[in-house]
Amino acid sequence: MNAGDEQVFAEQRESFGRISGLIDEAESIVICAHTNPDGDALGSGLALGQLIRQHWEGKRVTNLLADDDVVPRLYRFLPGADSFVRASEYEGDPDLFIVVDLSVTPRLNNARAVLERSRHVAVMDHHPSNAPFGDVFLVRPDAAASGVIVAEFGLFLGAHITPDIANCLFCAIVTDTGRFQYQNADSEAFECASMLVDAGASPSMISLNVYQSFRLAYLHLESVVMGRIVTFDHGRISYSYATAADLERTGALPDECDGLIDVVRSVEGTEVALFLKELPDGSVRGNLRSKGEHDISGVARSLGGGGHKAAAGFTSTTGIDATLATVLPQLQAVLASSDAGTAG
Ligand code: 5GP
Ligand code: MN
């Protein structure tokens, strides 16, 4: 641990203390993560709910979904996944709203209205953000996953980490680190994972559900996307896409497509990768990834999205061709400016 880490952990302990104080005083608590929730959003939210319920008996804790959707198929195995309430159907005025895996309010979608009716707000997240909000804003872009922060909150409380909590948090960390393979897979993530396995998490059960239970329809779509990968800029940029017609023809569902960007990024020599998915309403979801030091978050932000340096996303309404025409030159510019920086 270096001096910088110590400062980060001291600040985190201070925030944990304040969040704990807000929980002490609250009777009704809601927890919500971002729209289109992924493994970290769902796993860290469920784990936090279970931690609070068992460490503070008698609190009314509700896990909300930001969208009017069901939990994505791959994550329905998570303990507690059937307990989510859609934010649009939640009528209470909670004493405390805890935002996890999110630090910009528009991505709360329908839960924004609940946030506005809440007495207090706390944020626990790892996305870079320059617009703090709420009573406690604990945002650590250096943390591999929100699940890491929630696991450390459990340790801070001295709470009993049950096997269910451990499985939710392990899922959060394994998915956000791309199975401990991305640049964010640091020793803190491994330490948390080790602690969670000791607490009863089952990596093989989680892998079986998240990585080895694809429907054939999805795998057929994956083969279409794989067959369409294009590289350019001397192989340094890769992209591919799936149209709404591809989804319809194969029978794959939009919420099954999270792993397709990993197929695109797996090309040898690729430094930045782009995957576009056209939804039935014609809008296009973009996933951007950087395998090296390049920062692609600015490209996502310029399209109204956001995310981290190495993993970011956006939504566009201009269709696949026009989106490619906008994004690809920006990716080339990112590579060119990094090259210039290295040369200089
Ligand atoms: P993904 O490509 O897996 O959807 O997202 C990669 C990362 O970027 C995730 O951490 C996600 O939360 C963030 N992200 C994705 N889309 C958006 C967006 O539209 N706005 C913001 N602010 N962040 C996003
Ligand atoms: Mn996350």
Side-chain angles (χ1 to χ4, degrees), residues 190-237:
F190 280 98
E191 267 171 36
C192 277
S194 168
M195 180 277 285
L196 295 169
V197 173
D198 278 340
S202 169
S204 61
M205 180 278 286
I206 292 163
S207 298
L208 189 65
N209 280 283
V210 180
Y211 299 113
Q212 292 160 56
S213 297
F214 297 122
R215 293 188 315 131
L216 212 45
Y218 163 77
L219 289 171
H220 290 161
L221 178 69
E222 181 172 312
S223 78
V224 172
V225 168
M226 211 183 266
R228 208 179 260 156
I229 297 175
V230 174
T231 69
F232 69 104
D233 212 345
H234 308 284
R236 299 172 74 192
I237 300 176

mmCIF file of all heavy atoms in Angstrom, residues 190-237:
data_model
loop_
_atom_site.group_PDB
_atom_site.id
_atom_site.type_symbol
_atom_site.label_atom_id
_atom_site.label_comp_id
_atom_site.label_asym_id
_atom_site.label_seq_id
_atom_site.Cartn_x
_atom_site.Cartn_y
_atom_site.Cartn_z
ATOM 1 N N PHE A 190 -8.615 -8.816 -6.075
ATOM 2 C CA PHE A 190 -8.297 -10.212 -5.725
ATOM 3 C C PHE A 190 -8.460 -10.457 -4.225
ATOM 4 O O PHE A 190 -8.932 -11.511 -3.804
ATOM 5 C CB PHE A 190 -6.884 -10.572 -6.186
ATOM 6 C CG PHE A 190 -6.813 -10.899 -7.657
ATOM 7 C CD1 PHE A 190 -6.410 -9.949 -8.582
ATOM 8 C CD2 PHE A 190 -7.172 -12.162 -8.123
ATOM 9 C CE1 PHE A 190 -6.363 -10.232 -9.935
ATOM 10 C CE2 PHE A 190 -7.119 -12.463 -9.482
ATOM 11 C CZ PHE A 190 -6.715 -11.497 -10.393
ATOM 12 N N GLU A 191 -8.040 -9.466 -3.428
ATOM 13 C CA GLU A 191 -8.188 -9.635 -1.965
ATOM 14 C C GLU A 191 -9.651 -9.764 -1.582
ATOM 15 O O GLU A 191 -10.031 -10.605 -0.777
ATOM 16 C CB GLU A 191 -7.592 -8.423 -1.230
ATOM 17 C CG GLU A 191 -6.151 -8.617 -0.844
ATOM 18 C CD GLU A 191 -5.544 -7.326 -0.316
ATOM 19 O OE1 GLU A 191 -6.254 -6.552 0.370
ATOM 20 O OE2 GLU A 191 -4.370 -7.089 -0.613
ATOM 21 N N CYS A 192 -10.483 -8.897 -2.173
ATOM 22 C CA CYS A 192 -11.923 -8.975 -1.883
ATOM 23 C C CYS A 192 -12.464 -10.319 -2.333
ATOM 24 O O CYS A 192 -13.227 -10.967 -1.613
ATOM 25 C CB CYS A 192 -12.683 -7.873 -2.614
ATOM 26 S SG CYS A 192 -12.656 -6.329 -1.768
ATOM 27 N N ALA A 193 -12.061 -10.744 -3.544
ATOM 28 C CA ALA A 193 -12.572 -12.007 -4.078
ATOM 29 C C ALA A 193 -12.178 -13.155 -3.154
ATOM 30 O O ALA A 193 -12.991 -14.044 -2.864
ATOM 31 C CB ALA A 193 -12.025 -12.233 -5.488
ATOM 32 N N SER A 194 -10.961 -13.126 -2.676
ATOM 33 C CA SER A 194 -10.491 -14.191 -1.781
ATOM 34 C C SER A 194 -11.311 -14.200 -0.488
ATOM 35 O O SER A 194 -11.766 -15.249 -0.021
ATOM 36 C CB SER A 194 -9.001 -13.942 -1.506
ATOM 37 O OG SER A 194 -8.559 -14.738 -0.460
ATOM 38 N N MET A 195 -11.534 -13.011 0.057
ATOM 39 C CA MET A 195 -12.339 -12.909 1.278
ATOM 40 C C MET A 195 -13.753 -13.454 1.024
ATOM 41 O O MET A 195 -14.324 -14.161 1.853
ATOM 42 C CB MET A 195 -12.373 -11.422 1.684
ATOM 43 C CG MET A 195 -13.154 -11.071 2.921
ATOM 44 S SD MET A 195 -14.923 -10.883 2.663
ATOM 45 C CE MET A 195 -15.007 -9.278 1.842
ATOM 46 N N LEU A 196 -14.296 -13.153 -0.175
ATOM 47 C CA LEU A 196 -15.670 -13.579 -0.485
ATOM 48 C C LEU A 196 -15.754 -15.100 -0.655
ATOM 49 O O LEU A 196 -16.748 -15.717 -0.257
ATOM 50 C CB LEU A 196 -16.177 -12.858 -1.744
ATOM 51 C CG LEU A 196 -16.330 -11.343 -1.572
ATOM 52 C CD1 LEU A 196 -16.566 -10.663 -2.915
ATOM 53 C CD2 LEU A 196 -17.467 -11.007 -0.596
ATOM 54 N N VAL A 197 -14.712 -15.683 -1.234
ATOM 55 C CA VAL A 197 -14.715 -17.151 -1.360
ATOM 56 C C VAL A 197 -14.653 -17.776 0.036
ATOM 57 O O VAL A 197 -15.370 -18.730 0.337
ATOM 58 C CB VAL A 197 -13.556 -17.627 -2.276
ATOM 59 C CG1 VAL A 197 -13.458 -19.152 -2.265
ATOM 60 C CG2 VAL A 197 -13.778 -17.125 -3.699
ATOM 61 N N ASP A 198 -13.833 -17.195 0.916
ATOM 62 C CA ASP A 198 -13.807 -17.676 2.311
ATOM 63 C C ASP A 198 -15.188 -17.568 2.956
ATOM 64 O O ASP A 198 -15.566 -18.382 3.791
ATOM 65 C CB ASP A 198 -12.819 -16.857 3.155
ATOM 66 C CG ASP A 198 -11.392 -17.341 2.977
ATOM 67 O OD1 ASP A 198 -11.205 -18.493 2.538
ATOM 68 O OD2 ASP A 198 -10.467 -16.555 3.264
ATOM 69 N N ALA A 199 -15.936 -16.525 2.556
ATOM 70 C CA ALA A 199 -17.263 -16.305 3.153
ATOM 71 C C ALA A 199 -18.339 -17.184 2.508
ATOM 72 O O ALA A 199 -19.507 -17.114 2.899
ATOM 73 C CB ALA A 199 -17.643 -14.833 3.039
ATOM 74 N N GLY A 200 -17.959 -17.961 1.495
ATOM 75 C CA GLY A 200 -18.933 -18.900 0.920
ATOM 76 C C GLY A 200 -19.308 -18.641 -0.531
ATOM 77 O O GLY A 200 -20.195 -19.319 -1.068
ATOM 78 N N ALA A 201 -18.665 -17.678 -1.201
ATOM 79 C CA ALA A 201 -18.976 -17.463 -2.627
ATOM 80 C C ALA A 201 -18.490 -18.662 -3.440
ATOM 81 O O ALA A 201 -17.462 -19.258 -3.113
ATOM 82 C CB ALA A 201 -18.297 -16.191 -3.136
ATOM 83 N N SER A 202 -19.232 -18.981 -4.495
ATOM 84 C CA SER A 202 -18.846 -20.101 -5.353
ATOM 85 C C SER A 202 -18.508 -19.590 -6.755
ATOM 86 O O SER A 202 -19.399 -19.365 -7.572
ATOM 87 C CB SER A 202 -19.999 -21.107 -5.438
ATOM 88 O OG SER A 202 -19.721 -22.041 -6.467
ATOM 89 N N PRO A 203 -17.206 -19.394 -7.056
ATOM 90 C CA PRO A 203 -16.833 -18.912 -8.396
ATOM 91 C C PRO A 203 -17.339 -19.825 -9.501
ATOM 92 O O PRO A 203 -17.752 -19.341 -10.556
ATOM 93 C CB PRO A 203 -15.298 -18.896 -8.355
ATOM 94 C CG PRO A 203 -14.962 -18.779 -6.899
ATOM 95 C CD PRO A 203 -16.034 -19.528 -6.161
ATOM 96 N N SER A 204 -17.350 -21.138 -9.280
ATOM 97 C CA SER A 204 -17.775 -22.036 -10.360
ATOM 98 C C SER A 204 -19.275 -21.907 -10.614
ATOM 99 O O SER A 204 -19.722 -21.915 -11.757
ATOM 100 C CB SER A 204 -17.397 -23.484 -10.044
ATOM 101 O OG SER A 204 -18.030 -23.897 -8.857
ATOM 102 N N MET A 205 -20.062 -21.736 -9.544
ATOM 103 C CA MET A 205 -21.512 -21.587 -9.731
ATOM 104 C C MET A 205 -21.797 -20.282 -10.494
ATOM 105 O O MET A 205 -22.629 -20.242 -11.398
ATOM 106 C CB MET A 205 -22.204 -21.583 -8.349
ATOM 107 C CG MET A 205 -23.715 -21.426 -8.368
ATOM 108 S SD MET A 205 -24.299 -19.739 -8.526
ATOM 109 C CE MET A 205 -23.956 -19.081 -6.887
ATOM 110 N N ILE A 206 -21.064 -19.220 -10.134
ATOM 111 C CA ILE A 206 -21.290 -17.928 -10.794
ATOM 112 C C ILE A 206 -20.874 -18.017 -12.267
ATOM 113 O O ILE A 206 -21.607 -17.572 -13.160
ATOM 114 C CB ILE A 206 -20.539 -16.812 -10.035
ATOM 115 C CG1 ILE A 206 -21.202 -16.632 -8.662
ATOM 116 C CG2 ILE A 206 -20.534 -15.501 -10.824
ATOM 117 C CD1 ILE A 206 -20.372 -15.895 -7.651
ATOM 118 N N SER A 207 -19.716 -18.632 -12.534
ATOM 119 C CA SER A 207 -19.270 -18.780 -13.935
ATOM 120 C C SER A 207 -20.250 -19.607 -14.740
ATOM 121 O O SER A 207 -20.526 -19.294 -15.901
ATOM 122 C CB SER A 207 -17.918 -19.490 -14.004
ATOM 123 O OG SER A 207 -16.975 -18.730 -13.355
ATOM 124 N N LEU A 208 -20.756 -20.658 -14.112
ATOM 125 C CA LEU A 208 -21.715 -21.515 -14.810
ATOM 126 C C LEU A 208 -22.914 -20.690 -15.266
ATOM 127 O O LEU A 208 -23.373 -20.807 -16.405
ATOM 128 C CB LEU A 208 -22.158 -22.627 -13.852
ATOM 129 C CG LEU A 208 -22.995 -23.737 -14.454
ATOM 130 C CD1 LEU A 208 -22.177 -24.517 -15.479
ATOM 131 C CD2 LEU A 208 -23.474 -24.697 -13.358
ATOM 132 N N ASN A 209 -23.400 -19.812 -14.389
ATOM 133 C CA ASN A 209 -24.582 -19.012 -14.721
ATOM 134 C C ASN A 209 -24.280 -17.871 -15.681
ATOM 135 O O ASN A 209 -25.070 -17.593 -16.582
ATOM 136 C CB ASN A 209 -25.200 -18.444 -13.445
ATOM 137 C CG ASN A 209 -26.041 -19.472 -12.721
ATOM 138 O OD1 ASN A 209 -27.157 -19.754 -13.134
ATOM 139 N ND2 ASN A 209 -25.484 -20.074 -11.689
ATOM 140 N N VAL A 210 -23.154 -17.190 -15.471
ATOM 141 C CA VAL A 210 -22.898 -15.966 -16.245
ATOM 142 C C VAL A 210 -22.185 -16.252 -17.562
ATOM 143 O O VAL A 210 -22.414 -15.572 -18.557
ATOM 144 C CB VAL A 210 -22.087 -14.944 -15.398
ATOM 145 C CG1 VAL A 210 -21.822 -13.674 -16.188
ATOM 146 C CG2 VAL A 210 -22.813 -14.608 -14.108
ATOM 147 N N TYR A 211 -21.301 -17.279 -17.576
ATOM 148 C CA TYR A 211 -20.460 -17.481 -18.753
ATOM 149 C C TYR A 211 -20.688 -18.809 -19.480
ATOM 150 O O TYR A 211 -20.121 -19.035 -20.539
ATOM 151 C CB TYR A 211 -18.976 -17.375 -18.363
ATOM 152 C CG TYR A 211 -18.630 -16.016 -17.795
ATOM 153 C CD1 TYR A 211 -18.255 -15.859 -16.465
ATOM 154 C CD2 TYR A 211 -18.702 -14.875 -18.601
ATOM 155 C CE1 TYR A 211 -17.947 -14.609 -15.946
ATOM 156 C CE2 TYR A 211 -18.402 -13.624 -18.091
ATOM 157 C CZ TYR A 211 -18.032 -13.494 -16.760
ATOM 158 O OH TYR A 211 -17.737 -12.253 -16.257
ATOM 159 N N GLN A 212 -21.467 -19.690 -18.885
ATOM 160 C CA GLN A 212 -21.635 -20.989 -19.534
ATOM 161 C C GLN A 212 -23.093 -21.416 -19.602
ATOM 162 O O GLN A 212 -23.404 -22.607 -19.546
ATOM 163 C CB GLN A 212 -20.817 -22.047 -18.785
ATOM 164 C CG GLN A 212 -19.317 -21.810 -18.951
ATOM 165 C CD GLN A 212 -18.513 -22.509 -17.882
ATOM 166 O OE1 GLN A 212 -18.629 -23.711 -17.731
ATOM 167 N NE2 GLN A 212 -17.740 -21.753 -17.137
ATOM 168 N N SER A 213 -23.979 -20.431 -19.717
ATOM 169 C CA SER A 213 -25.404 -20.765 -19.807
ATOM 170 C C SER A 213 -26.073 -19.936 -20.894
ATOM 171 O O SER A 213 -27.164 -19.400 -20.711
ATOM 172 C CB SER A 213 -26.094 -20.504 -18.467
ATOM 173 O OG SER A 213 -25.566 -21.343 -17.472
ATOM 174 N N PHE A 214 -25.378 -19.775 -22.018
ATOM 175 C CA PHE A 214 -25.959 -18.974 -23.094
ATOM 176 C C PHE A 214 -27.013 -19.769 -23.845
ATOM 177 O O PHE A 214 -26.851 -20.977 -24.059
ATOM 178 C CB PHE A 214 -24.876 -18.532 -24.084
ATOM 179 C CG PHE A 214 -23.848 -17.642 -23.458
ATOM 180 C CD1 PHE A 214 -22.509 -17.988 -23.467
ATOM 181 C CD2 PHE A 214 -24.231 -16.454 -22.849
ATOM 182 C CE1 PHE A 214 -21.561 -17.158 -22.879
ATOM 183 C CE2 PHE A 214 -23.288 -15.623 -22.269
ATOM 184 C CZ PHE A 214 -21.947 -15.981 -22.279
ATOM 185 N N ARG A 215 -28.045 -19.075 -24.276
ATOM 186 C CA ARG A 215 -29.025 -19.719 -25.148
ATOM 187 C C ARG A 215 -28.403 -19.824 -26.541
ATOM 188 O O ARG A 215 -27.611 -18.968 -26.950
ATOM 189 C CB ARG A 215 -30.322 -18.892 -25.203
ATOM 190 C CG ARG A 215 -31.074 -18.851 -23.871
ATOM 191 C CD ARG A 215 -32.430 -18.197 -24.026
ATOM 192 N NE ARG A 215 -32.351 -16.981 -24.830
ATOM 193 C CZ ARG A 215 -33.152 -16.708 -25.842
ATOM 194 N NH1 ARG A 215 -34.125 -17.536 -26.184
ATOM 195 N NH2 ARG A 215 -33.013 -15.584 -26.520
ATOM 196 N N LEU A 216 -28.807 -20.856 -27.245
ATOM 197 C CA LEU A 216 -28.286 -21.051 -28.594
ATOM 198 C C LEU A 216 -28.546 -19.808 -29.463
ATOM 199 O O LEU A 216 -27.700 -19.414 -30.280
ATOM 200 C CB LEU A 216 -28.970 -22.279 -29.198
ATOM 201 C CG LEU A 216 -28.173 -23.111 -30.179
ATOM 202 C CD1 LEU A 216 -26.760 -23.377 -29.694
ATOM 203 C CD2 LEU A 216 -28.905 -24.435 -30.421
ATOM 204 N N ALA A 217 -29.706 -19.195 -29.261
ATOM 205 C CA ALA A 217 -30.047 -17.996 -30.045
ATOM 206 C C ALA A 217 -28.964 -16.933 -29.884
ATOM 207 O O ALA A 217 -28.541 -16.299 -30.854
ATOM 208 C CB ALA A 217 -31.397 -17.448 -29.593
ATOM 209 N N TYR A 218 -28.492 -16.768 -28.653
ATOM 210 C CA TYR A 218 -27.446 -15.774 -28.413
ATOM 211 C C TYR A 218 -26.159 -16.181 -29.122
ATOM 212 O O TYR A 218 -25.491 -15.356 -29.749
ATOM 213 C CB TYR A 218 -27.190 -15.590 -26.905
ATOM 214 C CG TYR A 218 -25.878 -14.896 -26.671
ATOM 215 C CD1 TYR A 218 -25.769 -13.520 -26.858
ATOM 216 C CD2 TYR A 218 -24.727 -15.616 -26.357
ATOM 217 C CE1 TYR A 218 -24.546 -12.882 -26.723
ATOM 218 C CE2 TYR A 218 -23.500 -14.997 -26.224
ATOM 219 C CZ TYR A 218 -23.421 -13.628 -26.403
ATOM 220 O OH TYR A 218 -22.206 -13.011 -26.277
ATOM 221 N N LEU A 219 -25.793 -17.461 -29.030
ATOM 222 C CA LEU A 219 -24.537 -17.906 -29.651
ATOM 223 C C LEU A 219 -24.595 -17.735 -31.165
ATOM 224 O O LEU A 219 -23.600 -17.400 -31.804
ATOM 225 C CB LEU A 219 -24.238 -19.354 -29.261
ATOM 226 C CG LEU A 219 -23.819 -19.498 -27.792
ATOM 227 C CD1 LEU A 219 -23.750 -20.963 -27.401
ATOM 228 C CD2 LEU A 219 -22.482 -18.814 -27.519
ATOM 229 N N HIS A 220 -25.787 -17.916 -31.743
ATOM 230 C CA HIS A 220 -25.914 -17.689 -33.188
ATOM 231 C C HIS A 220 -25.705 -16.206 -33.520
ATOM 232 O O HIS A 220 -25.073 -15.874 -34.518
ATOM 233 C CB HIS A 220 -27.279 -18.190 -33.676
ATOM 234 C CG HIS A 220 -27.381 -19.685 -33.655
ATOM 235 N ND1 HIS A 220 -28.583 -20.366 -33.680
ATOM 236 C CD2 HIS A 220 -26.421 -20.649 -33.583
ATOM 237 C CE1 HIS A 220 -28.352 -21.674 -33.640
ATOM 238 N NE2 HIS A 220 -27.050 -21.862 -33.578
ATOM 239 N N LEU A 221 -26.209 -15.347 -32.653
ATOM 240 C CA LEU A 221 -25.963 -13.914 -32.871
ATOM 241 C C LEU A 221 -24.470 -13.620 -32.724
ATOM 242 O O LEU A 221 -23.894 -12.856 -33.504
ATOM 243 C CB LEU A 221 -26.771 -13.068 -31.875
ATOM 244 C CG LEU A 221 -26.531 -11.565 -32.013
ATOM 245 C CD1 LEU A 221 -27.125 -11.034 -33.316
ATOM 246 C CD2 LEU A 221 -27.110 -10.798 -30.829
ATOM 247 N N GLU A 222 -23.849 -14.254 -31.738
ATOM 248 C CA GLU A 222 -22.408 -14.025 -31.534
ATOM 249 C C GLU A 222 -21.632 -14.395 -32.797
ATOM 250 O O GLU A 222 -20.696 -13.703 -33.183
ATOM 251 C CB GLU A 222 -21.912 -14.838 -30.324
ATOM 252 C CG GLU A 222 -20.430 -14.615 -30.055
ATOM 253 C CD GLU A 222 -19.946 -15.240 -28.753
ATOM 254 O OE1 GLU A 222 -20.599 -15.043 -27.706
ATOM 255 O OE2 GLU A 222 -18.916 -15.929 -28.785
ATOM 256 N N SER A 223 -22.051 -15.473 -33.451
ATOM 257 C CA SER A 223 -21.316 -15.881 -34.657
ATOM 258 C C SER A 223 -21.503 -14.852 -35.772
ATOM 259 O O SER A 223 -20.588 -14.601 -36.548
ATOM 260 C CB SER A 223 -21.722 -17.285 -35.098
ATOM 261 O OG SER A 223 -22.962 -17.247 -35.765
ATOM 262 N N VAL A 224 -22.690 -14.230 -35.834
ATOM 263 C CA VAL A 224 -22.911 -13.169 -36.833
ATOM 264 C C VAL A 224 -21.991 -11.981 -36.531
ATOM 265 O O VAL A 224 -21.305 -11.446 -37.414
ATOM 266 C CB VAL A 224 -24.393 -12.703 -36.812
ATOM 267 C CG1 VAL A 224 -24.582 -11.471 -37.696
ATOM 268 C CG2 VAL A 224 -25.311 -13.842 -37.247
ATOM 269 N N VAL A 225 -21.960 -11.598 -35.264
ATOM 270 C CA VAL A 225 -21.146 -10.439 -34.855
ATOM 271 C C VAL A 225 -19.667 -10.730 -35.097
ATOM 272 O O VAL A 225 -18.915 -9.884 -35.592
ATOM 273 C CB VAL A 225 -21.420 -10.105 -33.371
ATOM 274 C CG1 VAL A 225 -20.399 -9.107 -32.831
ATOM 275 C CG2 VAL A 225 -22.840 -9.574 -33.217
ATOM 276 N N MET A 226 -19.256 -11.950 -34.795
ATOM 277 C CA MET A 226 -17.855 -12.339 -34.970
ATOM 278 C C MET A 226 -17.477 -12.300 -36.451
ATOM 279 O O MET A 226 -16.417 -11.795 -36.830
ATOM 280 C CB MET A 226 -17.686 -13.762 -34.433
ATOM 281 C CG MET A 226 -16.335 -14.059 -33.864
ATOM 282 S SD MET A 226 -16.272 -15.777 -33.360
ATOM 283 C CE MET A 226 -16.707 -15.683 -31.682
ATOM 284 N N GLY A 227 -18.392 -12.792 -37.284
ATOM 285 C CA GLY A 227 -18.111 -12.826 -38.721
ATOM 286 C C GLY A 227 -18.029 -11.442 -39.338
ATOM 287 O O GLY A 227 -17.518 -11.275 -40.445
ATOM 288 N N ARG A 228 -18.510 -10.452 -38.611
ATOM 289 C CA ARG A 228 -18.597 -9.105 -39.151
ATOM 290 C C ARG A 228 -17.501 -8.182 -38.598
ATOM 291 O O ARG A 228 -17.484 -6.996 -38.913
ATOM 292 C CB ARG A 228 -19.973 -8.572 -38.745
ATOM 293 C CG ARG A 228 -20.555 -7.566 -39.646
ATOM 294 C CD ARG A 228 -21.918 -7.184 -39.103
ATOM 295 N NE ARG A 228 -23.019 -7.833 -39.774
ATOM 296 C CZ ARG A 228 -24.229 -8.026 -39.215
ATOM 297 N NH1 ARG A 228 -24.459 -7.652 -37.970
ATOM 298 N NH2 ARG A 228 -25.202 -8.590 -39.885
ATOM 299 N N ILE A 229 -16.622 -8.709 -37.786
ATOM 300 C CA ILE A 229 -15.594 -7.836 -37.185
ATOM 301 C C ILE A 229 -14.701 -7.254 -38.276
ATOM 302 O O ILE A 229 -14.234 -7.978 -39.164
ATOM 303 C CB ILE A 229 -14.717 -8.606 -36.160
ATOM 304 C CG1 ILE A 229 -15.564 -9.096 -34.997
ATOM 305 C CG2 ILE A 229 -13.567 -7.714 -35.665
ATOM 306 C CD1 ILE A 229 -14.812 -9.965 -34.002
ATOM 307 N N VAL A 230 -14.513 -5.959 -38.206
ATOM 308 C CA VAL A 230 -13.632 -5.262 -39.144
ATOM 309 C C VAL A 230 -12.521 -4.623 -38.324
ATOM 310 O O VAL A 230 -12.774 -4.086 -37.244
ATOM 311 C CB VAL A 230 -14.407 -4.149 -39.893
ATOM 312 C CG1 VAL A 230 -13.455 -3.328 -40.765
ATOM 313 C CG2 VAL A 230 -15.517 -4.757 -40.738
ATOM 314 N N THR A 231 -11.292 -4.706 -38.828
ATOM 315 C CA THR A 231 -10.215 -3.966 -38.162
ATOM 316 C C THR A 231 -9.680 -2.934 -39.136
ATOM 317 O O THR A 231 -9.725 -3.129 -40.356
ATOM 318 C CB THR A 231 -9.042 -4.867 -37.732
ATOM 319 O OG1 THR A 231 -8.376 -5.328 -38.891
ATOM 320 C CG2 THR A 231 -9.508 -6.053 -36.896
ATOM 321 N N PHE A 232 -9.190 -1.836 -38.615
ATOM 322 C CA PHE A 232 -8.500 -0.857 -39.464
ATOM 323 C C PHE A 232 -7.512 -0.085 -38.613
ATOM 324 O O PHE A 232 -7.293 -0.424 -37.453
ATOM 325 C CB PHE A 232 -9.489 0.046 -40.216
ATOM 326 C CG PHE A 232 -10.244 0.997 -39.337
ATOM 327 C CD1 PHE A 232 -9.902 2.339 -39.299
ATOM 328 C CD2 PHE A 232 -11.275 0.557 -38.539
ATOM 329 C CE1 PHE A 232 -10.589 3.223 -38.496
ATOM 330 C CE2 PHE A 232 -11.964 1.424 -37.725
ATOM 331 C CZ PHE A 232 -11.622 2.755 -37.716
ATOM 332 N N ASP A 233 -6.902 0.947 -39.213
ATOM 333 C CA ASP A 233 -5.805 1.647 -38.552
ATOM 334 C C ASP A 233 -4.734 0.614 -38.142
ATOM 335 O O ASP A 233 -4.362 0.502 -36.966
ATOM 336 C CB ASP A 233 -6.318 2.430 -37.330
ATOM 337 C CG ASP A 233 -5.511 3.715 -37.104
ATOM 338 O OD1 ASP A 233 -4.417 3.823 -37.695
ATOM 339 O OD2 ASP A 233 -5.964 4.580 -36.342
ATOM 340 N N HIS A 234 -4.300 -0.157 -39.113
ATOM 341 C CA HIS A 234 -3.281 -1.202 -38.901
ATOM 342 C C HIS A 234 -3.700 -2.192 -37.831
ATOM 343 O O HIS A 234 -2.887 -2.647 -37.028
ATOM 344 C CB HIS A 234 -1.925 -0.571 -38.559
ATOM 345 C CG HIS A 234 -1.505 0.465 -39.557
ATOM 346 N ND1 HIS A 234 -1.011 0.137 -40.797
ATOM 347 C CD2 HIS A 234 -1.560 1.816 -39.502
ATOM 348 C CE1 HIS A 234 -0.767 1.250 -41.470
ATOM 349 N NE2 HIS A 234 -1.099 2.278 -40.708
ATOM 350 N N GLY A 235 -4.988 -2.499 -37.786
ATOM 351 C CA GLY A 235 -5.471 -3.513 -36.843
ATOM 352 C C GLY A 235 -5.651 -3.009 -35.427
ATOM 353 O O GLY A 235 -6.007 -3.776 -34.533
ATOM 354 N N ARG A 236 -5.402 -1.712 -35.228
ATOM 355 C CA ARG A 236 -5.447 -1.206 -33.851
ATOM 356 C C ARG A 236 -6.884 -0.920 -33.394
ATOM 357 O O ARG A 236 -7.146 -0.769 -32.217
ATOM 358 C CB ARG A 236 -4.604 0.072 -33.750
ATOM 359 C CG ARG A 236 -3.151 -0.182 -34.086
ATOM 360 C CD ARG A 236 -2.386 1.108 -34.182
ATOM 361 N NE ARG A 236 -2.157 1.672 -32.858
ATOM 362 C CZ ARG A 236 -1.715 2.920 -32.661
ATOM 363 N NH1 ARG A 236 -1.485 3.718 -33.689
ATOM 364 N NH2 ARG A 236 -1.523 3.358 -31.442
ATOM 365 N N ILE A 237 -7.821 -0.782 -34.359
ATOM 366 C CA ILE A 237 -9.225 -0.529 -34.011
ATOM 367 C C ILE A 237 -10.064 -1.678 -34.577
ATOM 368 O O ILE A 237 -9.889 -2.063 -35.736
ATOM 369 C CB ILE A 237 -9.708 0.802 -34.613
ATOM 370 C CG1 ILE A 237 -8.853 1.968 -34.086
ATOM 371 C CG2 ILE A 237 -11.191 1.030 -34.305
ATOM 372 C CD1 ILE A 237 -9.194 3.325 -34.695
#
